[in-house]
Amino acid sequence: MKKINQSLFALSTLTLAMQAGAAGFALNESSAAAAGTAYAGRGSNAEDASIMAANPAGIALLKERQVTVGGAVAVPKGDFKGASTITANGNTGGNISSSNDEFLNTSVIPFGYFSMPVDDQLSFGFGVYAPFGSSTDYDDNWAGRYLADETQVTIVNFQSTVGYKFSDQLSLGLGVFATYGEGELSRFVYPQSPNDNVVIKGDDVAYGWNIGAIWQPQESTSLGVSYRSSIKLKLKGDATGSGALFGGGTVTEKAKLDITLPENVDISLTHKIDDRWTVMAGATWTRWSQFDKLVISSDEASGSGPVSNPIPGASPAPGIITYVQENWKNSWAFALGASYKYSDQLTLKAGYALDQTPVQDDYRTARIPDGDRNWLTVGAKYELGNDWTVDAAYGYMFAGTVKIDEGNYRDDGSSETGTGPSPAFNLKGEYNNTAHLFSASVTKRF
């Protein structure tokens, strides 16, 4: 009998289709001020308190207490065309062709920050932002229904920050954050009983930190370097199975997933050419290679339960709910941007970014059909007076067509072949994904 043998519990920070933010399952949307330049200069250009998410040293350059509140609306569009097959006992059938163009959901990504200088050198701050997340929902009858259906993921950082200005040239900063993750995932599980499904809910809290420095060799130039630590989540929740495979009713089992959200290094440059023009550049390296496999297992005291082992004795590893090879690679993102001070009140911005995918072609999945992303952005900052500032930005993301050839795995990590009664699923097709992103924030200084 088929094990429930794909991503059942991976939702809890990880499994996703295509996010409108950075590559993999990361999000960039922590600052409307930086969004206008495609996040070029985000760790060296201290425009408001949102810089603490990218480089905590930046708050040491803010001369006044301030609050920045805003968010982004991501409107992605995913287009899939392809077909699937099912092989069991050496026989292949179940061919399903589909075209699905509405599986990516519109998402709202809020953020908020506060910073205050204690004196001319020491500053404190606090921020709330989302570094990872996803929202996807395929049609119930799409070709890959046994590999992916619906995913809802929310990850939030609560960060305390301290910055210290050692001199006019050098500032350092440290942030410590609590990360809360929650999610819900559903999918269909067995073709011989096509309405059977599994729903997973889980959450966890973990902790991490970021550190950064900003060096200003001259008043017109700032160079920022920052590091954000990995975050080790030990997710626990309930796996609920419904349908004939589970005795015709509903059963529940405790499940767990250990996953590490990757660390990154960000290098950022901001240079003021004259009183009107400023240029920015940035590069970010992310250690995605830690994500080599996805293993979800039972958290029951007995080592297995009615979801991971619906037919006792049918599996040699009854406690494994899923085992998926991922084999991601480390990746880089690069950005260039510029701003033009049109007047004392209005500053215009534009930028371009290239975000390399960590997903290798041979391991692309329906939950993460990621490809290299290109971003074009425009933005504006407007000084309202009385220490109020409004930032707004628009970005368009486009990625090249990527192919998928996904199958399912056995409990030991080997590919399911379908030579026996346990079915092998195969999904082949193409994805073409785009996104529109709208960001805005308000800053009050006092």
Side-chain angles (χ1 to χ4, degrees):
M1 180 64 72
K2 171 72 173 67
K3 285 269 295 183
I4 300 169
N5 210 3
Q6 278 293 330
S7 302
L8 294 184
F9 192 66
L11 64 100
S12 296
T13 55
L14 171 55
T15 50
L16 58 142
M18 181 76 173
Q19 190 52 247
F25 50 91
L27 290 175
N28 274 332
E29 289 72 28
S30 59
S31 170
T37 57
Y39 295 93
R42 64 179 174 181
S44 56
N45 189 20
E47 295 188 82
D48 59 38
S50 66
I51 193 174
M52 73 178 70
N55 188 341
I59 66 169
L61 303 179
L62 302 174
K63 298 179 180 180
E64 299 171 288
R65 289 182 298 171
Q66 55 191 267
V67 174
T68 298
V69 178
V73 178
V75 187
K77 181 176 177 58
D79 182 20
F80 168 80
K81 291 181 175 62
S84 65
T85 60
I86 301 172
T87 301
N89 294 314
N91 300 313
T92 299
N95 297 54
I96 302 175
S97 298
S98 68
S99 177
N100 198 313
D101 61 1
E102 295 183 354
F103 61 89
L104 297 177
N105 296 332
T106 296
S107 300
V108 178
I109 308 165
F111 53 78
Y113 307 91
F114 167 77
S115 73
M116 59 173 293
V118 177
D119 53 35
D120 291 340
Q121 294 180 293
L122 181 64
S123 296
F124 289 104
F126 182 79
V128 181
Y129 59 95
F132 302 95
S134 177
S135 179
T136 65
D137 188 6
Y138 287 95
D139 292 339
D140 286 350
N141 295 318
W142 88 288
R145 68 197 303 264
Y146 299 111
L147 298 174
D149 183 30
E150 183 177 2
T151 306
Q152 300 289 335
V153 179
T154 301
I155 305 295
V156 182
N157 276 3
F158 300 87
Q159 178 174 321
S160 297
T161 306
V162 58
Y164 193 83
K165 188 175 182 180
F166 284 86
S167 67
D168 290 339
Q169 288 75 44
L170 180 63
S171 299
L172 300 179
L174 173 67
V176 178
F177 50 80
T179 299
Y180 173 74
E182 67 174 8
E184 179 176 343
L185 170 75
S186 66
R187 79 174 184 92
F188 298 94
V189 294
Y190 192 54
Q192 292 185 8
S193 184
N195 293 322
D196 292 6
N197 75 313
V198 169
V199 178
I200 307 294
K201 297 181 181 181
D203 61 6
D204 188 35
V205 175
Y207 301 91
W209 53 276
N210 63 348
I211 190 170
I214 295 179
W215 178 51
Q216 296 174 291
Q218 55 189 24
E219 186 176 355
S220 60
T221 304
S222 298
L223 175 65
V225 178
S226 62
Y227 169 85
R228 184 174 68 190
S229 74
S230 61
I231 307 164
K232 295 183 178 181
L233 290 165
K234 297 182 180 295
L235 304 161
K236 295 188 177 183
D238 293 325
T240 302
S242 302
L245 181 64
F246 307 102
T250 298
V251 297
T252 300
E253 176 180 349
K254 298 295 182 182
K256 61 183 179 180
L257 165 66
D258 293 345
I259 188 68
T260 300
L261 306 179
E263 64 261 48
N264 65 38
V265 177
D266 184 82
I267 303 171
S268 180
L269 175 67
T270 300
H271 178 67
K272 186 176 181 180
I273 298 174
D274 54 33
D275 290 341
R276 293 189 179 275
W277 284 100
T278 301
V279 294
M280 305 89 165
T284 303
W285 175 84
T286 305
R287 192 186 171 200
W288 288 114
S289 60
Q290 296 181 96
F291 185 34
D292 59 343
K293 58 183 177 292
L294 177 69
V295 180
I296 304 136
S297 59
S298 174
D299 199 32
E300 296 289 341
S302 62
S304 65
V307 177
S308 63
N309 191 28
I311 300 180
S315 171
I320 299 296
I321 297 177
T322 185
Y323 192 124
V324 179
Q325 298 285 357
E326 299 289 352
N327 294 316
W328 282 20
K329 60 184 179 181
N330 300 331
S331 67
W332 283 90
F334 304 95
L336 295 172
S339 67
Y340 177 75
K341 190 173 183 179
Y342 181 81
S343 67
D344 289 341
Q345 289 77 36
L346 178 63
T347 299
L348 304 176
K349 304 177 181 182
Y352 166 76
L354 170 63
D355 209 348
Q356 297 176 341
T357 180
V359 177
Q360 300 192 67
D361 291 343
D362 292 342
Y363 295 93
R364 185 170 288 111
T365 69
R367 292 200 182 275
I368 313 178
D370 200 27
D372 291 345
R373 308 181 191 192
N374 295 273
W375 281 96
L376 295 172
T377 67
V378 294
K381 177 171 68 174
Y382 193 81
E383 302 290 350
L384 297 174
N386 296 320
D387 292 321
W388 287 92
T389 302
V390 174
D391 285 276
Y394 164 76
Y396 176 69
M397 186 279 292
F398 56 98
T401 299
V402 296
K403 297 182 181 296
I404 187 171
D405 186 356
E406 181 185 1
N408 55 313
Y409 293 86
R410 295 169 177 160
D411 299 334
D412 61 1
S414 62
S415 296
E416 181 60 72
T417 62
T419 55
S422 184
F425 306 123
N426 180 254
L427 177 69
K428 291 184 178 181
E430 293 183 344
Y431 283 90
N432 191 352
N433 300 314
T434 61
H436 301 274
L437 189 74
F438 306 88
S439 302
S441 66
V442 176
T443 297
K444 170 61 177 176
R445 297 176 296 278
F446 51 94

